Amino acid sequence: MNAGAYTTQGMDKNINILMVDDQPGKLLTYEAILGELGENLIKAHSGMEALEHLLKTDIALVLMDVCMPGMDGFETAQMIHAHPRFQNTPIVFVSGIHVTDMDRLKGYQHGAVDYVTVPVVPELLRAKVRVFVELHRKTQQLEVLNARMTSLQDEERRRIARELHDSVGQLLAAIGMNSVFLAAESHKLSPDAGKRLSENAVMLAEASKEIRTISHLLHPPLLDEAGLASALRWYVEGFSERSKITAKLDLPKEFAGLSKEMELSIFRVVQECLTNIHRHAGSPTAGIRVTQDEACLRVEIEDAGKGIPAETESAFGLLAHAGVGLRGMRERLRQLGGTLHIQSSSHGTRVTAILPVVRVTAVPAVQQVARSLSPEIG
């Protein structure tokens, strides 16, 4: 994708605000109060309907009644924040019944960023919502810049890989041909000069191999020419040979519904994880398993190394020891609607990447909600 396409994407769109209440009259009141903000107001009459909207739409803020039949606001909030995609979605509770300090405490314990009591002061509610809307808009702008940086990095990798293959590779090939010519005349040289010429030929062959490997690691041509499966097989086989780590790759028979961006992201996740295993884990083995169903593609990379100490975990659940590389992978996946999870113990580490995919088979809405909110890591 052209990096320039990211400069305005998502910058000027109206922000989506989800209003959840089982009483239509209260939804109309919220709509009247928040209408002058000029944002996109979405109504939901139950917790389940709210979850369906979240799965289909980028929601900046959830304004939710606490007391609803069936699944109340607290239960709905708990389900929302249990999903990796919505862990940081701000929720503002509104209640005219549950107004004690203990009710407010329960609301905050379920992830609320604010707790508003009825009767609502229109100016106050508008001011609160406006703050979260502006924060979301600034976050979107940062995400656009991150997406552009990722695109530029990918383009630069391709350019350098092409330069190494076309320019440096051709120069080394020409030097190799000259070396063959000189080798034919080596009997005219002294024994020491002949030995050095032979050593040069060996080093030249090794340099050519290294340049080719570096070029392919920067951007594997197999990814464009033969697809993700071939590129992963090539990389994992080469990784095992270079690192002396026994790596096992388990792939589905075929992939469906994957864009070029998805294929590149999956390859980069596997590449980054195996690099970390080689550098830090001290594991003799690595396992890579890719599975796909109608809703998502799942990549699991697991090792049997020393793990990552629990005290190094960051407040946001991303292991600090994992470094900038995996943070970049999490952001890359997030841009595609995916998630990245890390589990670690003294027995090893498992990284799980999940990406949504579009398949022909339709999935009923409620079934899709239940599946999406099921535990991501077994």
Side-chain angles (χ1 to χ4, degrees), residues 72-92:
D72 67 20
F74 293 143
E75 293 171 319
T76 304
Q78 191 170 15
M79 289 189 72
I80 289 172
H81 285 159
H83 193 292
R85 279 174 55 193
F86 314 129
Q87 286 177 347
N88 298 318
T89 300
I91 298 173
V92 174

Side-chain angles (χ1 to χ4, degrees), residues 25-56:
K26 290 174 69 177
L27 289 175
L28 288 174
T29 300
Y30 299 150
E31 189 174 29
I33 293 173
L34 302 178
E36 69 179 55
L37 296 178
E39 308 298 348
N40 187 30
L41 304 177
I42 301 172
K43 300 175 187 176
H45 298 86
S46 67
M48 185 57 71
E49 187 180 350
L51 293 170
E52 292 179 9
H53 280 298
L54 279 162
L55 289 170
K56 295 184 293 186

Side-chain angles (χ1 to χ4, degrees), residues 220-251:
L222 277 174
L223 199 58
D224 298 325
E225 298 166 4
L228 178 62
S230 297
L232 286 176
R233 290 190 188 98
W234 165 82
Y235 178 73
V236 171
E237 182 180 341
F239 170 82
S240 293
E241 183 181 341
R242 292 188 300 273
S243 66
K244 309 306 177 187
I245 294 173
T246 302
K248 181 181 178 182
L249 178 64
D250 184 8
L251 295 175

Side-chain angles (χ1 to χ4, degrees), residues 143-161:
E143 289 170 355
V144 168
L145 293 175
N146 284 334
R148 188 182 180 205
M149 288 178 61
T150 299
S151 178
L152 290 172
Q153 287 174 343
D154 289 337
E155 290 178 7
E156 186 67 5
R157 281 174 176 248
R158 287 189 181 94
R159 186 191 67 79
I160 295 173

